[in-house]
Structure formats: structure tokens, C-alpha cells
């Protein structure tokens, strides 16, 4: 026994010595909490990373070093340093740190999120921003969005009677139908035994499987030297799940091609658009069927939080935090992954409006003036609703859906804030902290939409104090789409209904950190019809 203890003590001493030598070579890094040998700071991370990182910044400054195993990461928490990363050195930080599961789930990095900055990324970005999510394309699929929103309004009207509804669940289901309809609505008509409902069930089952894999902490990412061994089997399992997705896409694409050959009438949707882009071949970098599938892989629609569990590997007890270090390609490929993100933002917005009834009343008065209570909301009304836009902006200020954005990875070593950030590091920009900085915002913890009425702030990322969709080259590609879906949906909800919480219940606005920032407690609210005629709910 003494011999075993001596051997263990000796090994620990050697590991500690090697770690001290390793970290001493990096003593020019920004300050941060002391790391443990091998594990770094993994075990000391709090589950609410956005607020945890904000607290660390108060101690260690606006740029903080963290060790995630052998991976070094940096957290940026000030507007000036965010500007250096996202604008001044934008090209250097325009890459992502490819994870094992990210590579396996994105057809080898052929999607817009994981693709390295270069010709392929520019080609995909152009397809999405200037064509796929252009005003003309979005206008052409408005009928799909309108149909699902009206269906939701009708269902809520049918459930009137004083019982609360789960707003997040209702909007999640709505956006699931909106997104799948826009992606391939025309190809999932009943034909050859295939329909949209059965396709949705199959898609959701594989999505849940993939989400669980992408949300699991992976030794291969924290210790790159172990990646080849795939000790947890995550890469192998992710590839298997990706093949299931591939099978779904093949069925959809084959059926669409058959419909085209048969001369069937085809609805406008994104699949039809992408097939046309592939056939036209107008890009310097070829747009292939692999790229097409990678872009379709945007709505992993469940995004459940990774449940608390323990993982025992090589004798190490590891807490599983729902941290955004991996597998984030399914969130913002085209921002149509807004199934979860948009429904969560609407849930926060409506919760704040119920908590402050004067805000809800003011928004409804604006709608009554522009739309009228003898009419229903259309997307054409959105441009004339400045106060509702202010509500959206204030919601995204307080609750940015990706509070740490997506991590950036420098392609070469670069000086930020006077410190050398090494090539290949992970860099998190804490938008949540910047959006709540009392040096920037008056009463930063209060929900005050009026601060965004008639001012300069927008979603372009040009302002260093406000960038809920990111900034620079890697800014969210689907801002316009997100704006339309949020505004049209929320306008329809509050124009058609009055909303209140249950008797004696207080609205809980507590956040729960995860790959998407969400309400800790689901919003349960009671809708009461407010329009003049019942036919307006059909």
C-alpha cells in the first residue's frame, strides 16, 4: 500500500511539475483563476456560465484566461475589447474551433457555421444572405409563415376559458412547422407514402439523438491528443446519427426531383431554391449536394438542455455543464434554427409585458392604430410598429439568445488588450455582460423598451455596446428572418389576445443558461380574445 501511495504521489508530482513548466511558458496570458493540473478550470466552472464569466471579469479584468483541459480560452467582457476581436482583427478571428462532433455532424465542416473563413464560406454566406434569405425569397414563402401563425391563433382561441397555456411550447411547435414548411414544405405533400407529419416525427427523433451527442462534454475537444481514440465514442455515434439525417434528406431530395420530372406543381421553399442554385453553378466555388444537405441541417428543433449527469472517465469525476463549447452549428446555420431561439425570445418578451402591463397596453394601442381591432396582423404591418420593435430590441439586450455568441478562433497569434492571444485558442465574447454594463446602460437590469425608440441601435453589429446577433464577418446570417418571425408572431399574439398570469402567480424572469439562454420556469399565461369578431380567429 505504501508503495502504491509513493508511486501515485510521484506521478502527481511529475504531472504538477510538467503543468507548471507548461503554464510558465504562457505567463504573458491575461489573468484568470488558477488552473488545476490537466483539468485546468473545468471543475470550477459554474453552470450559469454567462453570469459566472461576468463575475470573473470583476476580479480578473475585461479579458480573462481559462483552461479547459489543455485548451486555453479567453472571455471578452468589454465593448472596447469586443471591438478588437470582432472588427479590428475580424479576419484573424473569423474562424471557428472545429470540434470532433461538429465535424461529424456538419458533413466535414461544409455548413456556414463550421466552414473556415475562405472561398467556401463566402459562397455559402452569399447563398444565404443575398439569395436564400433575401427580401424577395422571404416574401415568396410568406404564405407558409402566415398559415402556421394563423393556425396557432385559432388553436389558442379554441382553448379560451381561463386556463393557462405554455407559451414556449406553443410557439416552439408553431416555428417547427414554419421552418420545416419553409425548408421543404412543397416536397412533403402526401405522395408515395411520405407526408410532412411522418417526416417531422422521424426528423425530431434523430434531432434529439444528435442534440444529446453535441451537448456532451468530449475529452477529444479538451485534450486534442486523445481525439484519435474517440474514448467516449461521440464522433462514431455522431457520424451514425448524421447518416440518419442524410437518409432523410435523400428521401426529400429524391421525391422533389421525382415531382419535377412528373410535372407536379411545386411550392416555393428553400429546398427548391437550393436545388436551383446547385444546377445553375454560378459560383467560383462549386455548390454541391453535400453543401445543400449541410444547409438543410439547420433545425435541430428540440435543442433540449443537457440533463445533469456525471461522467466517469479514467477515474475523473466530471460535472456536465450545458456549456457552448461544442456542437453549435445547429443553432445559426441560417438562423432558421430559430425554432428554439425565436420561441424563447418571444417567451421572454411576453413575460416582461405581462410583468409590466403598461408595456403590453402600449404595444396593443400601437397595433390597434396600425392594424385595427376589425382586422388581423400581416407582415406588411411590421415596418409601422416602432414600439414593438423596441420591445424586441430590449428583450435581446437583457436576454441575448446566445449570451457568449459563438466562440471565435484566431488563425494566427494576435494581440488583444495588450495580451498575446495564441493561434487556435477559443475566444468567447460575453454579450450578456456588455448588454448589462451599468457604465453603458441606465438602469441596465430593468425592462425599458423606450430606450430603443428613435435611437441609433439596430442589429447590424456596428455599435460596440449592442450586438445581440454578433458582429463582423461572422454576424448571424439570418437577422432579417429572425426579425420577421419574432415581430409577426408577437404582434399576432398580443393583437389577438390579452395576456395575464394565473391568479396570484408572479412572473418569474429568471434565466437558465444553456446552449440557448432560456427562462428557468416556462411562461404559463392565460389568453383572452380581444378582437371584435370570432371569424378573425379562423
Amino acid at each position: 500500500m505504501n508503495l502504491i501511495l509513493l508511486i501515485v504521489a510521484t506521478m502527481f508530482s511529475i504531472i504538477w511539475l510538467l503543468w507548471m513548466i507548461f503554464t510558465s511558458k504562457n505567463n504573458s496570458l491575461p489573468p484568470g483563476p488558477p488552473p488545476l493540473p490537466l483539468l485546468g478550470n473545468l471543475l470550477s466552472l459554474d453552470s450559469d456560465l454567462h453570469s459566472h464569466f461576468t463575475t470573473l471579469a470583476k476580479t480578473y479584468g475585461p479579458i480573462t484566461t481559462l483552461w479547459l483541459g489543455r485548451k486555453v480560452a479567453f472571455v471578452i467582457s468589454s465593448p472596447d475589447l469586443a471591438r478588437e476581436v470582432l472588427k479590428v482583427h475580424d479576419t484573424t478571428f473569423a474562424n471557428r474551433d472545429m470540434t470532433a462532433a461538429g465535424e461529424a455532424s456538419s458533413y466535414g465542416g461544409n455548413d456556414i457555421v463550421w466552414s473556415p473563413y475562405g472561398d467556401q464560406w463566402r459562397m455559402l454566406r452569399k447563398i444565404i444572405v443575398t439569395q436564400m434569405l433575401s427580401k424577395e425569397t422571404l416574401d415568396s414563402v410568406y404564405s407558409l409563415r402566415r398559415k402556421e401563425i394563423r393556425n396557432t391563433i385559432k388553436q389558442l382561441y379554441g382553448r379560451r376559458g381561463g386556463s393557462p397555456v405554455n407559451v414556449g411550447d406553443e410557439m416552439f411547435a408553431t416555428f417547427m412547422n414554419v421552418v420545416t414548411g419553409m425548408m421543404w414544405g412543397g416536397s412533403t405533400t402526401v405522395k408515395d407514402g411520405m407526408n410532412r407529419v411522418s417526416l417531422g416525427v422521424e426528423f425530431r427523433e434523430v434531432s434529439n439523438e444528435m442534440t444529446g451527442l453535441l451537448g456532451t462534454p468530449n475529452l477529444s475537444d479538451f485534450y486534442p491528443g486523445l481525439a484519435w481514440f474517440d474514448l467516449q465514442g461521440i464522433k462514431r455515434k455522431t457520424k451514425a446519427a448524421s447518416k440518419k439525417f442524410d437518409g432523410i434528406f435523400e428521401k426529400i431530395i429524391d421525391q422533389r426531383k421525382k415531382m419535377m420530372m412528373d410535372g407536379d406543381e411545386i411550392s416555393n421553399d428553400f429546398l427548391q431554391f437550393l436545388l436551383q442554385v446547385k444546377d445553375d453553378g454560378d459560383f467560383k466555388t462549386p455548390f454541391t449536394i453535400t453543401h445543400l444537405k449541410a444547409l438543410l441541417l439547420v433545425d435541430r428543433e428540440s435543442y433540449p438542455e443537457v440533463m445533469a449527469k456525471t461522467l466517469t472517465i479514467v477515474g475523473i469525476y466530471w460535472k456536465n455543464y450545458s456549456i457552448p463549447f461544442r456542437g453549435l452549428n445547429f443553432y445559426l446555420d441560417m438562423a432558421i434554427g430559430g425554432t428554439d431561439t425565436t420561441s424563447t425570445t418571444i417567451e421572454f418578451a411576453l413575460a416582461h409585458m405581462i410583468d409590466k402591463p403598461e408595456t403590453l397596453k402600449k404595444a396593443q394601442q400601437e397595433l390597434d392604430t396600425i392594424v385595427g381591432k376589425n382586422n388581423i396582423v400581416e407582415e406588411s404591418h411590421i415596418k409601422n410598429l416602432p414600439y414593438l420593435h423596441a420591445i424586441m430590441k430590449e428583450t435581446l439586450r437583457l436576454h441575448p439568445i446566445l449570451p457568449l455568441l459563438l466562440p471565435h478562433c484566431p488563425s494566427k497569434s494576435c494581440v488583444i488588450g495588450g495580451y498575446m492571444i495564441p493561434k487556435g485558442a477559443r475566444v468567447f465574447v460575453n454579450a450578456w455582460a456588455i448588454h448589462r454594463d451599468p457604465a453603458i446602460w441606465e438602469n441596465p437590469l430593468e425592462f425599458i423598451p423606450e430606450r430603443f425608440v428613435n435611437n441609433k441601435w439596430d442589429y447590424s453589429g456596428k455599435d460596440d455596446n449592442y450586438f445581440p446577433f454578433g458582429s463582423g464577418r461572422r454576424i448571424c446570417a439570418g437577422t432579417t428572418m429572425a426579425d420577421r418571425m419574432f415581430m409577426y408572431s408577437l404582434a399576432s399574439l398580443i393583437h389577438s389576445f390579452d395576456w395575464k398570469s394565473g391568479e396570484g402567480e408572479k412572473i418569474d424572469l429568471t434565466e437558465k443558461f444553456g446552449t440557448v439562454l432560456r427562462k428557468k420556469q416556462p411562461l404559463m399565461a392565460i389568453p383572452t380574445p380581444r378582437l371584435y369578431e370570432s371569424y378573425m380567429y379562423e
Side-chain angles (χ1 to χ4, degrees):
M1 179 63 70
N2 290 336
L3 180 61
I4 294 176
L5 290 175
L6 178 62
I7 293 173
V8 171
T10 302
M11 291 179 62
F12 184 81
S13 298
I14 294 173
I15 291 172
W16 182 269
L17 179 61
L18 291 174
W19 178 262
M20 294 300 293
I21 293 173
F22 175 73
T23 54
S24 67
K25 295 179 180 178
N26 296 280
N27 55 14
S28 61
L29 297 178
L36 293 173
L38 295 181
L39 294 176
N41 303 111
L42 285 173
L43 296 183
S44 63
L45 296 178
D46 189 274
S47 57
D48 287 325
L49 276 188
H50 59 316
S51 58
H52 177 63
F53 286 171
T54 302
T55 301
L56 289 178
K58 294 177 182 178
T59 301
Y60 298 103
I63 179 169
T64 305
T65 300
L66 291 169
W67 287 93
L68 312 175
R70 287 294 305 276
K71 278 279 186 177
V72 64
F74 303 93
V75 182
I76 303 296
S77 304
S78 76
D80 291 340
L81 295 183
R83 181 176 181 275
E84 289 192 42
V85 171
L86 301 176
K87 295 177 183 175
V88 177
H89 301 288
D90 186 14
T91 304
T92 299
F93 288 89
N95 285 326
R96 304 294 186 199
D97 188 12
M98 177 72 77
T99 66
E103 180 181 15
S105 68
S106 61
Y107 296 90
N110 281 294
D111 66 347
I112 188 67
V113 169
W114 290 112
S115 184
Y117 179 65
D119 288 341
Q120 175 176 273
W121 177 82
R122 280 188 286 267
M123 178 266 291
L124 295 174
R125 177 87 182 185
K126 183 176 181 181
I127 288 174
I128 291 174
V129 175
T130 66
Q131 298 184 47
M132 195 169 177
L133 293 183
S134 68
K135 180 182 183 302
E136 293 74 17
T137 304
L138 290 176
D139 286 345
S140 72
V141 291
Y142 169 51
S143 61
L144 291 168
R145 296 193 295 279
R146 187 182 190 278
K147 175 185 175 183
E148 297 302 336
I149 295 297
R150 297 311 306 170
N151 279 341
T152 298
I153 297 299
K154 178 180 179 180
Q155 290 172 13
L156 290 173
Y157 182 74
R159 293 174 56 183
R160 67 193 185 280
S163 60
V165 300
N166 187 316
V167 175
D169 283 353
E170 292 288 340
M171 298 315 299
F172 178 86
T174 301
F175 292 137
M176 169 63 181
N177 290 336
V178 169
V179 170
T180 55
M182 291 175 66
M183 286 198 295
W184 53 62
S187 70
T188 54
T189 53
V190 178
K191 187 177 180 69
D192 297 333
M194 181 181 179
N195 60 70
R196 183 173 166 183
V197 174
S198 62
L199 178 70
V201 171
E202 184 178 1
F203 192 73
R204 184 165 191 169
E205 288 176 353
V206 185
S207 293
N208 289 339
E209 179 182 356
M210 183 74 82
T211 302
L213 292 167
L214 290 167
T216 303
N218 191 353
L219 285 173
S220 297
D221 298 328
F222 299 136
Y223 304 94
L226 300 176
W228 186 85
F229 300 100
D230 191 24
L231 294 175
Q232 295 160 255
I234 289 177
K235 187 170 185 178
R236 171 179 53 80
K237 294 174 184 176
T238 304
K239 284 183 176 180
S242 294
K243 286 183 179 179
K244 295 178 184 178
F245 271 122
D246 197 76
I248 295 172
F249 296 150
E250 289 287 355
K251 286 193 292 186
I252 295 168
I253 294 168
D254 288 347
Q255 186 186 28
R256 174 58 59 87
K257 289 180 177 178
K258 188 175 187 304
M259 293 171 68
M260 294 168 66
M261 291 179 62
D262 292 346
D264 293 346
E265 183 177 350
I266 298 173
S267 303
N268 287 323
D269 56 32
F270 288 159
L271 173 59
Q272 187 65 24
F273 172 79
L274 290 175
L275 286 170
Q276 187 63 50
V277 169
K278 184 186 79 69
D279 292 339
D280 290 345
D282 293 335
F283 293 93
K284 177 181 177 181
T285 301
F287 181 73
T288 67
I289 199 71
T290 299
H291 292 125
L292 188 153
K293 293 179 197 174
L295 289 183
L296 285 179
L297 197 61
V298 296
D299 187 4
R300 313 277 178 76
E301 32 61 55
S302 58
Y303 313 146
E305 293 303 315
V306 182
M307 300 304 290
K309 56 187 176 181
T310 57
L311 182 66
T312 305
I313 301 177
V314 294
I316 299 173
Y317 172 76
W318 194 337
K319 286 190 291 185
N320 175 4
Y321 302 101
S322 297
I323 50 180
F325 298 148
R326 44 173 305 88
L328 289 168
N329 60 304
F330 51 92
Y331 281 104
L332 291 175
D333 255 50
M334 301 185 303
I336 312 176
T339 297
D340 197 33
T341 56
T342 308
S343 62
T344 297
T345 304
I346 285 179
E347 190 178 14
F348 270 121
L350 190 55
H352 278 289
M353 295 167 78
I354 295 172
D355 189 55
K356 297 183 67 173
E358 65 275 16
T359 303
L360 176 58
K361 183 177 180 180
K362 189 173 180 178
Q364 288 175 327
Q365 288 174 342
E366 181 180 65
L367 282 160
D368 292 345
T369 300
I370 300 300
V371 181
K373 295 181 74 172
N374 60 346
N375 199 0
I376 62 174
V377 178
E378 303 288 354
E379 274 192 356
S380 58
H381 293 125
I382 289 176
K383 63 181 181 294
N384 298 315
L385 302 171
Y387 189 68
L388 199 63
H389 260 121
I391 287 173
M392 178 179 179
K393 291 176 181 178
E394 178 70 342
T395 302
L396 289 171
R397 181 190 70 83
L398 274 174
H399 314 286
I401 206 66
L402 295 176
L404 303 177
L405 305 184
L406 289 173
H408 291 256
C409 179
S411 56
K412 61 181 179 180
S413 296
C414 182
V415 175
I416 298 294
Y419 295 100
M420 181 62 70
I421 306 302
K423 174 183 177 181
R426 286 196 181 124
V427 178
F428 299 98
V429 178
N430 194 344
W432 187 87
I434 294 171
H435 286 185
R436 293 175 175 234
D437 189 340
I440 302 170
W441 306 91
E442 185 178 355
N443 300 319
L445 302 185
E446 292 187 26
F447 185 78
I448 310 174
E450 286 74 12
R451 74 173 90 235
F452 284 102
V453 176
N454 299 323
N455 63 35
K456 62 181 180 177
W457 284 302
D458 56 27
Y459 307 127
S460 66
K462 294 178 182 177
D463 195 299
D464 301 329
N465 298 327
Y466 182 73
F467 44 92
F469 292 101
S471 181
R473 284 171 172 80
R474 290 284 188 166
I475 191 172
C476 171
T479 304
T480 302
M481 176 66 182
D483 180 89
R484 286 199 186 201
M485 290 183 70
F486 176 96
M487 287 291 293
Y488 181 43
S489 304
L490 185 60
S492 297
L493 288 177
I494 66 173
H495 179 251
S496 301
F497 302 98
D498 281 315
W499 293 87
K500 64 179 182 179
S501 57
E503 189 68 31
E505 294 184 9
K506 181 175 175 58
I507 295 293
D508 185 349
L509 296 167
T510 308
E511 297 170 335
K512 178 181 179 182
F513 184 85
T515 39
V516 164
L517 190 68
R518 64 180 70 247
K519 282 183 85 282
K520 191 170 185 178
Q521 299 296 329
L523 174 61
M524 303 298 296
I526 301 171
T528 303
R530 64 184 299 271
L531 299 181
Y532 291 145
E533 302 291 344
S534 61
Y535 72 84
M536 287 187 281
Y537 292 92
E538 296 297 325

